[in-house]
Amino acid sequence: EPEVTQTPSHQVTQMGQEVILRCVPISNHLYFYWYRQILGQKVEFLVSFYNNEISEKSEIFDDQFSVERPDGSNFTLKIRSTKLEDSAMYFCASKARKGSYEQYFGPGTRLTVT
Amino acid sequence: DQQVKQNSPSLSVQEGRISILNCDYTNSMFDYFLWYKKYPAEGPTFLISISSIKDKNEDGRFTVFLNKSAKHLSLHIVPSQPGDSAVYFCAASGNNFNKFYFGSGTKLNVKP
């Protein structure tokens, strides 16, 4: 069964450093998302992406964040200068088509900023 | 931004009994509501959904009820099984599906 994969599973970085979180969505999916979950809190929407551009983003997704689909298979989330409060579990998700609401989530990347 | 709320952080149920997980929302523009199940160290997995034109959707042991006037939905699991023990998230979206709002989750423990 196709699945969304994410690498690395755990990333530790120092405050102020750049990190890139990687996701490989399901191959025929067209819509891509990033979410985060701070420990013990709700899953928060960050950004949605379609046709090589951002469809919608939340207020969390400020200038420090960017997304890219560099090669038609990977979908990346970059945080330019990490802060302590960026420590969270980051989930990538994809869905097949416009009218579909079912998103398939990856296992997540745990980001720890020290 | 508490548009979707799950007020019960945890629920414990005996195997074979009914589990009822609740979710409230504030935005009347939401058109679709979804339930996700999440095991530790895994991403959320889609479980069941309901659109705003319905008040009930059933899939096997899982039934979701929607009360639009009360802006409330619930997930019923019957009979509950130990393998159902997980965190359950309620989520909502408008009809463009560009953005999904999640609740904070309810941790269900089904005791054998």
Side-chain angles (χ1 to χ4, degrees):
Chain A
E1 186 175 326
E3 58 182 15
V4 177
T5 59
Q6 290 185 244
T7 54
S9 57
H10 190 191
Q11 173 88 47
V12 181
T13 190
Q14 288 192 325
M15 193 168 54
Q17 295 296 305
E18 174 184 287
V19 293
I20 297 175
L21 309 183
R22 290 183 167 79
C23 168
V24 179
I26 294 173
S27 63
N28 61 345
H29 284 192
L30 301 176
Y31 294 80
F32 314 107
Y33 305 82
W34 282 102
Y35 293 84
R36 79 173 185 190
Q37 185 184 23
I38 295 170
L39 187 63
Q41 299 186 24
K42 64 180 179 179
V43 174
E44 298 175 291
F45 168 83
L46 292 178
V47 66
S48 58
F49 189 86
Y50 168 71
N51 199 26
N52 280 322
E53 59 183 32
I54 291 174
S55 306
E56 191 151 356
K57 58 183 180 179
S58 71
E59 55 278 2
I60 302 167
F61 195 89
D62 62 20
D63 291 345
Q64 292 300 311
F65 291 86
S66 62
V67 288
E68 195 177 33
R69 190 155 157 80
D71 56 12
S73 62
N74 290 284
F75 179 50
T76 62
L77 174 69
K78 182 194 290 186
I79 309 175
R80 287 192 184 83
S81 178
T82 50
K83 303 187 283 285
L84 294 176
E85 53 266 37
D86 293 327
S87 295
M89 196 74 168
Y90 288 80
F91 294 105
C92 170
S94 68
K95 75 180 177 90
R97 60 191 184 280
K98 185 177 183 180
S100 166
Y101 45 77
E102 184 176 346
Q103 297 171 87
Y104 292 80
F105 281 78
T109 292
R110 179 166 297 286
L111 176 65
T112 302
V113 183
T114 61
Chain B
D1 184 348
Q2 291 273 322
Q3 298 205 38
V4 178
K5 296 181 189 178
Q6 293 175 258
N7 292 318
S8 299
S10 64
L11 175 68
S12 188
V13 169
Q14 202 67 39
E15 181 179 7
R17 306 295 290 268
I18 186 170
S19 296
I20 300 177
L21 298 102
N22 293 303
C23 178
D24 297 291
Y25 62 97
T26 56
N27 190 339
S28 57
M29 300 300 290
F30 287 147
D31 280 324
Y32 290 90
F33 305 89
L34 305 92
W35 284 94
Y36 283 84
K37 178 178 179 179
K38 184 182 180 305
Y39 292 116
E42 294 183 13
T45 303
F46 171 76
L47 195 57
I48 192 169
S49 66
I50 190 167
S51 76
S52 59
I53 62 172
K54 293 187 173 183
D55 55 17
K56 177 182 174 181
N57 188 27
E58 193 171 351
D59 183 2
R61 296 186 296 114
F62 302 91
T63 303
V64 56
F65 295 91
L66 175 63
N67 182 334
K68 282 189 67 179
S69 61
K71 294 190 177 68
H72 177 85
L73 64 154
S74 60
L75 173 68
H76 292 210
I77 307 172
V78 56
S80 302
Q81 299 172 355
D84 296 330
S85 297
V87 177
Y88 289 79
F89 290 98
C90 164
S93 172
N95 60 9
N96 63 4
F97 307 122
N98 280 339
K99 186 173 183 178
F100 290 80
Y101 295 86
F102 280 74
S104 54
T106 296
K107 185 174 184 178
L108 174 66
N109 179 32
V110 180
K111 297 178 286 188

